[in-house]
Amino acid sequence: MFRHEEQPQARYVSIPRNEHNISRKDISENALKVLYRLNKQGYEAYLVGGCIRDLLLGKKPKDFDITTNATPEQIQKIFRNCRLVGRRFRLAHIMFGKEIIEVATFRGEHDDQNAQTNICKRSQSGMLLRDNVYGTIEQDAMRRDFTMNALYYDVKDFTLRDYCHGLQDLKNGIIRLIGDPQTRYREDPVRMLRTVRFAAKLNMNIEPSTAQPIKALAPLLKNIPSARLFDESLKLLQTGYGFKTYSLLREYHLFEQLFPIIERLFTQNHNSNLDKIIEQVLKNTDYRISNNQRVNPAFLFAVFFWYPIMEQTQLTCVESGLQFHDSFSMAINDVLSEQCRIIAIPRRLTSIMGDIWRLQLRMKKREGKRAFAILEHPKFRAAYDLLEMRASIEKGELLDLAKWWDEFQYAPVEKRIAMVKQLSKTNRRKVKR
Ligand code: ATP
Ligand code: MG
């Protein structure tokens, strides 16, 4: 049975090695090196967070996070390959080639005294703008988001420490915020996104009081820097559980905060072209990830915003009397600039998205040398994939166009030349008639 140990400030459950399934061979060697070195220098150090949660669930952890009572500066003195990062949270990154082991100092509690100081700062809505108060492991556990994320592994004796009944929640498949949910979401509204992300990824239930405040507090996401929301949006949509996560984001009114341009065009019964294409691209993305195929966020976002751009183009045509092509370019600019204020999609991606969109128009005109030039375009394949999705949704002429491009791209050169010639003939006949 579990051994209860009395601590000066908090009680935790200690789970010995023979009562849990975490083995050293499942832990990154680099993470072990960091733990051993910190211990050797006289510091406490534990594996914590997602890696422990995932190992307990029999999943492969994405990364290994460490927490310690050494300060970032003390950590830096011990490791040559160390870089200090972060402002809101100061952290040490220990670099081992491609692998980065993140080492955080135990977080402490913030009280009113240090609430407006250099080490800790809150905004009007209760959001923590800076959170660099260091503390004890007990305080650190209370500062974590979910009970299942507050489990600590001690490599000295291979025990697990459970401060918030996380193990029980993990076993029961319950996502539960530590502390008062309202306060915890106000401190960091991104926790609302993490709630639904873990619910989808781990196929777990959100405990009612953890779920309850989300709809009302969702607008607080407006206060989150757009660069952070870009990172979060990829974790939400491009890590293998995108469709399920998206459904939860909509259920909890979080999607409209991240993608208001899209939300505005959704229909009541979920059957618009936009509803359908988003569902399809997310399911395809999940499928590709489950097959270890590469995914590109530029394609995902290009699909997300295709119909909104078309809609905006029509509107600009009517309102400003501009030609279709000019309205289309304006629509691209308008949609991207509105969206990037919320989620900072980097330029290297928006430029690919622009290519994919413009190719949708170019792919309609195939005569002469055009089709051959389009085929050479580096983004042809992505553009074709979008065309095919649109065709499967819109049907009609678009189906013929997608079929033509499907044949053309795989045909030998002579056949391609013949296909283009055939097009010109058909077109001439159409004109005569
Ligand atoms: P994954 O890496 O699989 O996405 P994770 O739980 O490891 O999941 P990280 O972002 O790597 O997520 O964070 C590591 C740990 O830090 C978490 O398990 C949690 O204990 C703590 N944490 C992360 N973000 C927050 C937050 N916004 N508020 C409170 N604690 C957090
Ligand atoms: Mg992690």
Side-chain angles (χ1 to χ4, degrees), residues 298-421:
F299 178 71
L300 182 78
F301 288 135
V303 178
F304 265 42
F305 292 103
W306 169 252
Y307 288 118
I309 282 175
M310 281 292 102
E311 193 92 6
Q312 180 69 27
T313 305
Q314 306 292 350
L315 210 71
T316 312
C317 275
V318 173
E319 280 177 357
S320 66
L322 284 173
Q323 294 282 313
F324 181 82
H325 267 90
D326 295 334
S327 302
F328 180 67
S329 299
M330 263 179 82
I332 291 182
N333 282 341
D334 291 350
V335 166
L336 281 180
S337 69
E338 185 181 346
Q339 184 59 44
C340 289
R341 273 198 294 273
I342 306 166
I343 293 182
I345 307 172
R347 203 172 285 273
R348 71 188 149 80
L349 298 183
T350 55
S351 104
I352 298 174
M353 290 155 68
D355 285 349
I356 295 173
W357 292 327
R358 278 183 288 271
L359 279 165
Q360 301 305 301
L361 304 189
R362 281 180 61 194
M363 279 194 292
K364 284 198 281 192
K365 301 209 179 88
R366 294 156 285 167
E367 293 82 2
K369 291 186 177 141
R370 283 182 175 149
F372 292 92
I374 292 170
L375 203 56
E376 292 301 308
H377 194 287
K379 292 298 151 215
F380 167 75
R381 187 61 220 188
Y384 169 74
D385 287 345
L386 172 54
L387 179 72
E388 205 194 14
M389 272 188 196
R390 292 170 51 215
S392 74
I393 289 167
E394 293 173 47
K395 311 271 189 315
E397 278 181 15
L398 221 45
L399 274 178
D400 296 332
L401 186 64
K403 193 162 161 272
W404 191 92
W405 278 106
D406 183 35
E407 243 182 276
F408 186 74
Q409 61 184 305
Y410 296 113
V413 182
E414 308 79 54
K415 169 100 192 280
R416 283 184 191 159
I417 296 170
M419 284 176 76
V420 171
K421 271 195 188 144

Side-chain angles (χ1 to χ4, degrees), residues 229-296:
L229 284 187
F230 173 71
D231 293 342
E232 290 301 323
S233 70
L234 295 190
K235 289 189 208 165
L236 290 163
L237 303 174
Q238 274 211 311
T239 50
Y241 304 87
F243 180 66
K244 204 162 165 209
T245 310
Y246 157 77
S247 310
L248 286 173
L249 286 173
R250 285 189 70 176
E251 182 185 333
Y252 284 99
H253 302 186
L254 293 162
F255 190 79
E256 64 200 63
Q257 297 300 327
L258 300 176
F259 299 101
I261 304 170
I262 293 177
E263 178 77 23
R264 288 203 287 268
L265 299 177
F266 279 147
T267 49
Q268 278 277 313
N269 44 7
H270 291 226
N271 69 350
S272 67
N273 290 345
L274 180 60
D275 281 282
K276 289 182 196 157
I277 210 164
I278 289 187
E279 181 173 336
Q280 197 175 324
V281 73
L282 288 171
K283 285 183 175 168
N284 292 357
T285 305
D286 291 345
Y287 180 78
R288 287 181 67 89
I289 293 169
S290 71
N291 281 300
N292 293 320
Q293 287 174 282
R294 276 191 319 132
V295 289
N296 186 344

Side-chain angles (χ1 to χ4, degrees), residues 11 13 18 20 76 96 123 171 226-227 232 255 283 306 309 318 324 361 372 425-426 430 433:
R11 184 184 263 266
V13 181
N18 60 356
H20 66 73
Q76 199 170 34
F96 296 90
S123 76
K171 280 184 184 150
S226 55
E232 290 301 323
F255 190 79
K283 285 183 175 168
W306 169 252
I309 282 175
V318 173
F324 181 82
L361 304 189
F372 292 92
K425 260 194 220 159
T426 328
K430 268 192 200 156
R433 260 194 257 137

